[in-house]
């Protein structure tokens, strides 16, 4: 079964129609030619935007000259009420300093230390599904719960059952419902002075989330001072001094960073896991192979065991290719450029689209097919190096990439070891870009004991 892909719009539509389509969903608002084009220009009355698929230009923007392509202020605008000055939104020296403090918390050795917390969250997800055997389950709700639990346990040593953790999770859900599309502002052809998108409910939810996180951070500061803090990611980040200035994050800065860890860390993993489970449910041969491999992971598994889950890793990689949770990223040109013999003015929006690059018809063979085996072929590996960026690339690469590549295969293994999932006849999920790539009406799967 070919995995679902959103319909494309006709090549030429009026600006008004484009806007309407855009508001509904950025993926289906795009024309089919973007799956073949190396570069496309969108002229609007107020600014120019360029979607770039050419691997060499993407390399220039992300790896070779990232300082000339800072994050777009238009995207930051929509997320500011929730994320303040978090590492996701800053640029230049402020961003560099934040990464110097954050990056060590996600290094390999630290990942090993957070593994028991991750395994416990995977076990809890398994137990929740155990209570639903024989039922049809909305799997996105389950993976959101599981991914949030992973973040709370690894960051703050709290299971999601903790009252404060639960309130943060609920407030995030309210926020997501009121603020549907992450990068919308960056594409919309409106000048910066037009007020938009800080809808009242989103602002209220953002304020509540930040109040609750401030409480978690204050509690942890007291524990660090008293010498009773658990040795988790929050403690690590709050006690790591910037190697250049010797300063640590202030409590207020830490609230901004925790907000992005929750948002970037749980929404994305939840999206990827839900699609992965749908893909294996619709490809029972792969599901059986993963279940067999998953026997390598017992309840007392060690960090090193995850490296043996090679098939689960290939399935997770292939899921991130077909359904990259962050479908598009936006940068701005700091000076004028020349791309593919075209002049690109200063202040233009550069859209990098994992969604289109991963399904590019001139790069991948069988671009829309689910084929985890491609990652074992020379061609698949070459395409992976050239045109695969679910975690972005270069200095602004996702700091949680290593974390996510342990979490995803581990959760797949722990779930598929014990349960058999099947799709419902005639029911196909419909990909749509909310905050991340989700299914318009959720993903329903039948859960049976294996
Ligand atoms: C499958 C899971 C994940 C995917 C696909 C993913 C993807 C991405 C992508 C594409 C970006 C770059 C966005 C841009 O440049 O506009 C990013 C940034 C980021 N991600 Fe992730 N991410 C995942 C999991 C995580 C986790 C688990 C964490 C933390 C616990 C995390 C924390 C962050 C942070 C802090 C940034 C901002 C980095 C910066 O701008 O310097 N992510 N992620």
């Amino acid at each position: 079964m070919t995995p679902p892909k959103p319909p494309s719009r006709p090549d030429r539509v009026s600006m008004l129609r484009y806007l309407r389509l855009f508001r509904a969903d950025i993926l289906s608002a795009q024309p089919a030619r973007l799956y073949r084009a190396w570069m496309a220009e969108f002229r609007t009355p107020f600014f120019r935007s360029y979607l770039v698929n050419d691997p060499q230009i993407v390399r220039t923007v992300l790896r070779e000259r990232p300082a000339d392509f800072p994050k777009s202020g238009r995207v930051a605008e929509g997320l500011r009420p929730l994320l303040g000055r978090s590492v996701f939104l800053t640029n230049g020296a402020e961003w560099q300093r934040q990464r110097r403090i954050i990056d060590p918390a996600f290094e390999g050795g630290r990942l090993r230390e957070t593994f028991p917390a991750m395994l416990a969250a995977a076990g809890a997800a398994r137990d929740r599904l155990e209570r639903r055997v024989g039922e049809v389950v909305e799997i996105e709700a389950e993976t959101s719960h599981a991914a949030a639990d992973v973040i709370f346990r690894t960051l703050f040593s709290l299971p999601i059952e903790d009252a404060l953790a639960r309130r943060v999770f609920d407030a995030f859900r309210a926020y997501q419902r009121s603020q549907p599309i992450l990068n919308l502002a960056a594409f919309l052809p409106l000048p910066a002075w037009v007020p938009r998108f800080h809808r009242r409910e989103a602002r209220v939810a953002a304020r509540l989330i930040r109040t609750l996180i401030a409480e978690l951070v204050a509690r942890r500061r007291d524990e660090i001072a008293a010498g009773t803090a658990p040795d988790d990611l929050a403690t690590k980040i709050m006690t790591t001094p910037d190697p250049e200035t010797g300063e640590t994050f202030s409590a207020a800065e830490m609230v901004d960073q925790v907000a992005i860890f929750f948002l970037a860390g749980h929404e994305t993993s939840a999206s990827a896991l839900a699609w992965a489970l749908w893909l294996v449910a619709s490809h029972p041969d792969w599901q059986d192979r993963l279940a067999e491999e998953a026997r390598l992971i017992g309840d007392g598994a060690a960090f090193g065991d995850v490296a043996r889950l090679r098939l689960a890793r290939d399935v997770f990689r292939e899921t991130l290719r077909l359904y990259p949770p962050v479908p598009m990223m936006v940068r701005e040109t700091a000076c004028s450029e020349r791309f593919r013999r075209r002049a690109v003015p200063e202040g233009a929006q550069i859209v990098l689209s994992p969604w289109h690059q991963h399904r590019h018809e001139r790069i991948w063979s069988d671009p829309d097919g689910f084929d985890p085996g491609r990652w074992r072929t020379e061609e698949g590996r070459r395409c992976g190096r050239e045109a695969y960026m679910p975690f972005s690339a270069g200095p602004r690469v996702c700091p949680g990439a290593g974390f996510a590549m342990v979490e995803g295969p581990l959760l797949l293994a722990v779930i598929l070891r014990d349960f058999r999932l099947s799709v419902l006849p005639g029911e196909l999920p419909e990909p749509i870009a909310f905050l991340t790539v989700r299914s318009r009406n959720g993903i329903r799967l039948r859960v049976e004991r294996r």
Side-chain angles (χ1 to χ4, degrees):
M1 190 191 302
T2 305
K5 180 178 178 181
S8 300
R9 71 154 159 94
D11 217 19
R12 295 196 176 279
V13 291
S14 70
M15 181 53 72
L16 196 65
R17 171 110 198 275
Y18 182 48
L19 269 182
R20 284 219 191 91
L21 289 168
F22 205 106
R23 264 188 170 282
D25 170 37
I26 38 174
L27 299 179
S28 50
Q30 310 306 331
R33 69 187 155 92
L34 297 188
Y35 294 109
R36 291 184 298 276
W38 294 123
M39 179 167 158
E41 180 175 349
F42 297 87
R43 281 174 189 238
T44 75
F46 302 107
F47 66 92
R48 303 262 173 98
S49 80
Y50 299 81
L51 186 136
V52 173
N53 282 329
D54 180 332
Q56 178 48 45
I57 304 180
V58 173
R59 227 181 339 265
T60 303
V61 172
L62 292 178
R63 295 177 194 269
E64 292 166 2
R65 291 170 37 218
D68 292 337
F69 303 93
K71 274 225 160 165
S72 161
R74 284 166 185 273
V75 176
E77 206 184 306
L79 291 166
R80 196 72 77 198
L82 176 66
L83 300 180
R85 304 201 62 79
S86 92
V87 64
F88 193 77
L89 302 182
T90 51
N91 280 311
E94 182 180 12
W95 167 79
Q96 278 174 343
R97 169 176 164 274
Q98 293 173 336
R99 288 289 298 239
R100 285 197 297 269
I101 296 177
I102 288 167
D103 284 355
F106 290 95
E107 278 162 8
R110 295 300 295 190
L111 271 186
R112 178 183 295 276
E113 288 163 28
T114 53
F115 182 74
M118 230 183 237
L119 188 65
R126 198 214 80 89
D127 294 346
R128 278 191 299 274
L129 279 182
E130 179 68 49
R131 294 194 284 275
R132 311 284 304 276
V133 165
E135 293 177 26
V136 171
V137 173
E138 203 292 282
I139 216 76
E140 280 192 340
E142 295 301 316
T143 59
S144 289
H145 198 142
D149 197 23
V150 168
I151 286 290
F152 280 112
R153 288 179 195 253
T154 51
L155 200 56
F156 278 107
S157 304
L158 293 174
I160 197 154
E161 285 73 30
D162 174 87
L164 189 49
R166 184 81 227 182
R167 289 179 67 202
V168 177
F169 180 47
D170 290 343
F172 261 106
R173 279 207 296 206
Y175 176 82
Q176 279 149 16
R177 272 195 293 269
S178 58
Q179 172 89 2
I181 296 172
L182 184 59
N183 282 339
L184 186 60
F187 290 83
L188 276 186
L190 299 171
W193 44 262
V194 176
R196 58 204 138 139
F197 306 129
H198 295 186
R199 274 202 257 148
R200 214 185 79 79
E201 313 95 273
R203 272 203 314 270
V204 171
R207 212 174 304 131
L208 174 61
I209 293 170
R210 293 180 62 86
T211 308
L212 296 170
I213 291 178
E215 208 174 314
L216 281 170
V217 169
R219 215 199 256 178
R220 178 53 56 89
R221 249 160 89 103
D222 293 346
E223 287 167 349
I224 291 171
T228 57
D231 185 21
D232 52 22
L233 291 176
T235 298
K236 173 77 181 163
I237 294 169
M238 288 172 77
T239 55
T240 298
D242 173 359
E244 288 188 10
T245 64
E247 285 171 20
T248 51
F249 279 142
S250 69
E253 281 176 304
M254 189 62 192
V255 173
D256 293 346
Q257 309 310 339
V258 172
I260 186 59
F261 290 145
F262 279 134
L263 187 67
H266 104 265
E267 253 290 301
T268 47
S269 295
S271 149
L273 264 171
W275 285 109
L277 291 173
W278 184 84
L279 284 165
V280 292
S282 59
H283 294 81
D285 50 333
W286 275 100
Q287 185 172 181
D288 290 344
R289 292 175 70 189
L290 257 57
E292 179 64 31
E293 180 188 73
R295 295 211 238 150
L296 295 169
I297 288 278
D299 289 338
F303 180 66
D305 294 336
V306 179
R308 300 161 72 196
L309 299 174
R310 293 173 50 176
L311 297 176
R313 206 163 32 254
D314 287 345
V315 164
F316 198 65
R317 240 182 229 147
E318 182 72 346
T319 305
L320 292 174
R321 185 182 71 79
L322 286 169
Y323 300 104
V326 180
M328 294 181 199
M329 301 175 275
V330 188
R331 299 292 190 267
E332 219 164 72
T333 45
C335 45
S336 57
E337 302 283 344
R338 206 163 176 82
F339 286 162
R340 295 189 70 84
R341 295 194 299 278
R342 241 189 276 193
V344 176
E346 178 188 337
Q349 306 288 300
I350 304 292
V351 180
L352 307 168
S353 176
W355 183 274
H356 291 96
Q357 227 196 23
H358 292 182
R359 290 173 181 258
H360 204 280
E361 292 161 10
R362 286 148 86 180
I363 298 177
W364 300 88
S365 51
D366 189 17
D368 296 328
F370 174 67
D371 174 17
R374 73 173 80 234
W375 296 100
R376 300 267 145 224
T377 67
E378 191 38 54
E379 189 204 305
R381 290 210 185 100
R382 182 180 50 73
C383 293
R385 282 191 298 274
E386 210 170 276
Y388 182 69
M389 50 175 177
F391 297 106
S392 184
R396 262 208 118 123
V397 68
C398 171
F403 182 101
M405 287 308 298
V406 174
E407 176 191 14
L410 175 70
L411 269 126
L412 279 181
V414 168
I415 291 171
L416 297 176
R417 188 185 60 198
D418 291 350
F419 307 111
R420 186 188 301 278
L421 307 176
S422 48
V423 296
L424 308 184
E427 208 171 287
L428 265 188
E430 192 186 333
I432 175 169
F434 286 120
L435 207 49
T436 50
V437 173
R438 294 304 188 114
S439 166
R440 186 187 291 278
N441 299 309
I443 295 181
R444 299 193 319 142
L445 297 176
R446 182 173 296 286
V447 177
E448 238 88 48
R449 191 168 289 108
R450 184 168 276 278

